[in-house]
Amino acid sequence: KYLPWFQIEGPYVTREVTVRDLLTHRTGLPRGDQLWYASGFSRLEVLHRVRFLQPQWSFRSHYGYQNIMFMAAGEVLHAASGATWDDFVRSHILTPLGMTRTRTGITALDTMTDVATPHMEIDDTVRVIPWRNMDNLGPAGAMISSAHDLAQWLLLQLGDGVYHGTRLLSDSVVEEMHTPQTVIRMSKETHALYPDTHFMAYGLAWSLKDYHGKLFVGHGGVIDGMRTEIGMIPEDHLGVVVLANLDGTNFPVAILHRVLDAYMGAPPRDWNTVLLAEARKSRAREDSTRKAFEAARVPGTHPSLPLEQYAGTYSDSLYGDIRITDENGKLVARMGPSYTGDLEHWHYNTFKVAWRDRGLGTAFFTFALNAEGRVVSLQVLHLGGFERLASPNKVAAGSP
């Protein structure tokens, strides 16, 4: 009704998808975060390109976290109200709640004082990193706030839509937000982590589970250098906000559950030790995957072609263009406003890419040749998530 141009892969899903589907992570699409992350694409460009994102599951069959669908919901709000998501949220939520330290993007931070600096662990050392512009992410993760401001948001939620005597949301809307919409299957690891939790689900933008016999409503989020954990026990009128200016750490989760346990009278548990052990297991799995990949490297090989013949523009309908240039006998790759990397031969026609922005990790470029020995495509592998970035349609520099 409001976004008639919006498409998801396949006519059936495009016809049937609803706003409720957007807000409950059940469209069947994988994350596809590389489409918006540091890409330079506007919100509308991201939503136009999402039609090329191949589904990972059947429609409405599986919970699959999907940031881009929340971006789509924001554009539905824009079309329905005539106000941008940023302006609507500011006038209908932030201003009535007195959330004066909350912004919907980083562009306003230059006018603010006492702003936290993001940090990331790079090469086993915690380092300061710059704020990355993620305003195109909009409703899915472009909100910047403070503990005090978020406490006002929780008071609204715990008050069933009433804040200091003024109703901002209907109680039926809040109830629907806190009602299971999509089942989240619990893994054995999750069961071990939360032994007295029997179900997990997703409401409308809230994660739900039973915790010590009561309903837990919460959500977490991570953006470059920052992490937020929010949790509520509505039955106890209890809400907790934990903010950290370091990503890649589970410590905010430990603090959240320690506070919940204390207020609920649950037996004390050393959440820090439990979650630290879980984090070390996860890192060990990542290290094992990385080592296995590196062990498969074939030494003593050489590129099939002179380096300059790998230069050109590689285009992908989903992720856009990667430009590779020959600069003084070295190959350099550029993609969007943030990705600039130096290529080093790995083996055969695969090159390791060291992004100059160290927080972007490591990638591998593999070039494919046709029967005539000419480069025809490029496949990009990120060792963080093994997601394909670009492949078909190479246009060589200078060719028609």
Side-chain angles (χ1 to χ4, degrees):
K1 181 177 180 180
Y2 295 108
L3 302 182
W5 50 266
F6 180 71
Q7 294 182 36
I8 298 179
E9 202 278 334
Y12 171 75
V13 179
T14 295
R15 184 180 70 247
E16 298 295 327
V17 67
T18 66
V19 175
R20 189 180 295 265
D21 294 320
L22 302 181
L23 298 177
T24 54
H25 301 301
R26 63 189 190 191
T27 60
L29 294 177
R31 294 183 69 115
D33 288 339
Q34 205 67 47
L35 179 53
W36 58 264
Y37 180 82
S39 69
F41 293 146
S42 67
R43 295 175 192 174
L44 290 181
E45 181 67 18
V46 170
L47 293 180
H48 172 78
R49 290 174 179 266
V50 78
R51 67 190 64 189
F52 302 113
L53 184 61
Q54 295 298 308
Q56 187 170 351
W57 306 281
S58 299
F59 183 46
R60 294 178 181 157
S61 69
H62 194 280
Y63 169 84
Y65 201 87
Q66 229 296 335
N67 286 308
I68 300 172
M69 294 301 98
F70 272 75
M71 190 190 303
E75 290 305 311
V76 169
L77 185 148
H78 183 185
S81 70
T84 65
W85 168 79
D86 308 74
D87 289 341
F88 190 97
V89 167
R90 188 178 303 111
S91 62
H92 287 73
I93 301 294
L94 304 184
T95 298
L97 293 180
M99 297 174 66
T100 59
R101 296 280 297 173
T102 300
R103 301 292 185 270
T104 59
I106 71 165
T107 52
L109 293 183
D110 292 340
T111 63
M112 298 178 67
T113 59
D114 192 22
V115 175
T117 301
H119 292 69
M120 180 180 291
E121 184 177 319
I122 301 174
D123 297 333
D124 297 323
T125 301
V126 174
R127 307 174 190 270
V128 173
I129 62 173
W131 278 92
R132 192 181 303 283
N133 190 325
M134 297 185 183
D135 295 2
N136 65 348
L137 186 56
M143 188 81 78
I144 300 169
S145 192
S146 68
H148 175 271
D149 277 15
L150 287 174
Q152 311 316 304
W153 168 242
L154 292 195
L155 286 174
L156 177 68
Q157 294 283 323
L158 294 170
D160 292 328
V162 174
Y163 178 75
H164 290 340
T166 300
R167 179 164 295 282
L168 300 180
L169 299 172
S170 70
D171 54 357
S172 61
V173 165
V174 176
E175 181 182 6
E176 194 70 10
M177 293 168 69
H178 298 176
T179 297
Q181 311 284 333
T182 303
V183 172
I184 302 176
R185 295 186 64 87
M186 293 183 65
S187 65
K188 292 181 179 179
E189 292 78 13
T190 304
H191 271 297
L193 200 58
Y194 303 103
D196 66 345
T197 291
H198 305 89
F199 83 92
M200 295 181 68
Y202 204 80
L204 296 177
W206 287 108
S207 297
L208 310 172
K209 65 182 179 182
D210 61 317
Y211 190 70
H212 300 316
K214 297 182 179 181
L215 175 67
F216 168 93
V217 180
H219 215 294
V222 180
I223 283 296
D224 285 18
M226 297 287 182
R227 177 158 190 166
T228 302
E229 289 295 330
I230 295 176
M232 295 180 288
I233 307 295
E235 187 176 338
D236 290 346
H237 304 287
L238 171 64
V240 182
V241 175
V242 185
L243 306 178
N245 60 338
L246 171 68
D247 67 18
T249 173
N250 282 332
F251 193 52
V253 184
I255 296 175
L256 171 69
H257 286 88
R258 179 67 186 90
V259 174
L260 292 179
D261 290 350
Y263 271 82
M264 297 176 74
R269 188 181 188 193
D270 188 352
W271 282 102
N272 187 56
T273 297
V274 170
L275 291 170
L276 182 60
E278 189 68 21
R280 285 172 173 166
K281 288 180 184 177
S282 178
R283 177 168 291 190
R285 288 192 295 267
E286 292 176 1
D287 289 344
S288 176
T289 300
R290 186 180 302 275
K291 289 177 181 178
F293 182 85
E294 294 176 349
R297 183 181 188 182
V298 181
T301 66
H302 303 281
S304 300
L305 303 171
L307 291 184
E308 64 270 15
Q309 293 190 30
Y310 295 95
T313 299
Y314 298 79
S315 300
D316 183 80
S317 56
L318 180 62
Y319 294 115
D321 294 344
I322 296 178
R323 292 183 297 110
I324 298 180
T325 55
D326 178 10
E327 301 180 11
N328 300 318
K330 298 282 188 178
L331 293 177
V332 178
R334 292 179 174 85
M335 182 177 64
S338 300
Y339 284 91
T340 298
D342 301 293
L343 276 65
E344 175 188 352
H345 182 250
W346 182 254
H347 65 193
Y348 300 117
N349 289 308
T350 296
F351 293 75
K352 183 178 182 179
V353 185
W355 300 115
R356 294 177 185 177
D357 182 339
R358 299 294 303 281
L360 295 175
T362 301
F364 291 85
F365 286 8
T366 298
F367 298 87
L369 279 58
N370 64 12
E372 298 174 345
R374 295 179 181 175
V375 178
V376 292
S377 67
L378 165 66
Q379 187 175 39
V380 179
L381 182 69
H382 262 285
L383 268 190
F386 293 97
E387 183 175 22
R388 182 183 69 85
L389 287 185
S391 54
N393 307 329
K394 186 243 181 188
V395 182
S399 67

